[in-house]
Amino acid sequence: MSRFHRMAWAVLGLGLLGSTGCAHNQARVAVTHEGEAEKCQLLQSVLKEPTPAKLVRELASEGREEPTPVVVFVRRPEESMLERFFAGDEPLCGDGTFKVVQENVLDAVVVYLQEVQDGYAYDARRAGPEQLSLEGTPQGLVRREGPAWVAAPGPI
């Protein structure tokens, strides 16, 4: 095999390896966007519940930022940890009434989620960045029902 042919095969092989890596990264990005969209659907369901919806309306009625900033954490009390629910700096989640932010600079609606069997217990409150808490009393429960998240009746 000539030197030219060896170089051509090497370049072709490197190109295939590079494109496989790019395809893998694109698949990972697609999975991330899909996961974030599902998280957003869950959050929208929680924010339709009476207490969180009331907090969003109160903050908006005070003439603060519109849409109302919402910060979301998952509580992991067994690890003494709060974890951000959304990845990235600017989650694309919200509607005309709220937007998810990662940095709570002043006063926002903070939603705490805690994984339970078949869903999430939640509680929401107004808080600033220094007022975050690992403690909380669940205000409700949402569960997956088909493609949607719905409020779950019964004890929390």
Side-chain angles (χ1 to χ4, degrees), residues 28-44 84-94 100 102:
R28 187 177 312 155
V29 168
V31 168
T32 300
H33 286 304
E34 185 178 304
E36 294 291 293
E38 183 156 325
K39 289 178 181 181
C40 189
Q41 183 184 33
L42 166 64
L43 180 62
Q44 287 172 341
R84 292 201 184 279
F85 189 58
F86 289 94
D89 294 333
E90 301 253 345
L92 298 174
C93 183
V100 172
Q102 292 289 57

Side-chain angles (χ1 to χ4, degrees), residues 32-49 52 70 72 85-86 91-95 98 100 111 113 120 122 141-151:
T32 300
H33 286 304
E34 185 178 304
E36 294 291 293
E38 183 156 325
K39 289 178 181 181
C40 189
Q41 183 184 33
L42 166 64
L43 180 62
Q44 287 172 341
S45 296
V46 168
L47 290 176
K48 289 178 184 171
E49 293 302 306
V70 175
V72 188
F85 189 58
F86 289 94
L92 298 174
C93 183
D95 60 21
F98 79 94
V100 172
V111 175
L113 300 170
Y120 288 90
Y122 67 84
L141 182 66
V142 290
R143 289 197 170 122
R144 175 64 90 181
E145 193 169 288
W149 289 94
V150 296

Side-chain angles (χ1 to χ4, degrees), residues 66-135:
E66 287 226 21
T68 301
V70 175
V71 183
V72 188
F73 291 98
V74 175
R75 279 192 182 121
R76 302 202 187 284
E78 66 282 354
E79 301 170 27
S80 299
M81 188 170 87
L82 284 177
E83 180 181 307
R84 292 201 184 279
F85 189 58
F86 289 94
D89 294 333
E90 301 253 345
L92 298 174
C93 183
D95 60 21
T97 61
F98 79 94
K99 69 177 178 183
V100 172
V101 296
Q102 292 289 57
E103 297 300 321
N104 183 4
V105 289
L106 246 330
D107 193 18
V109 174
V110 181
V111 175
Y112 297 98
L113 300 170
Q114 190 165 340
E115 292 179 68
V116 296
Q117 185 176 353
D118 301 325
Y120 288 90
Y122 67 84
D123 71 286
R125 60 183 86 164
R126 286 178 61 171
E130 290 82 33
Q131 300 163 321
L132 300 178
S133 173
L134 272 170
E135 307 285 320

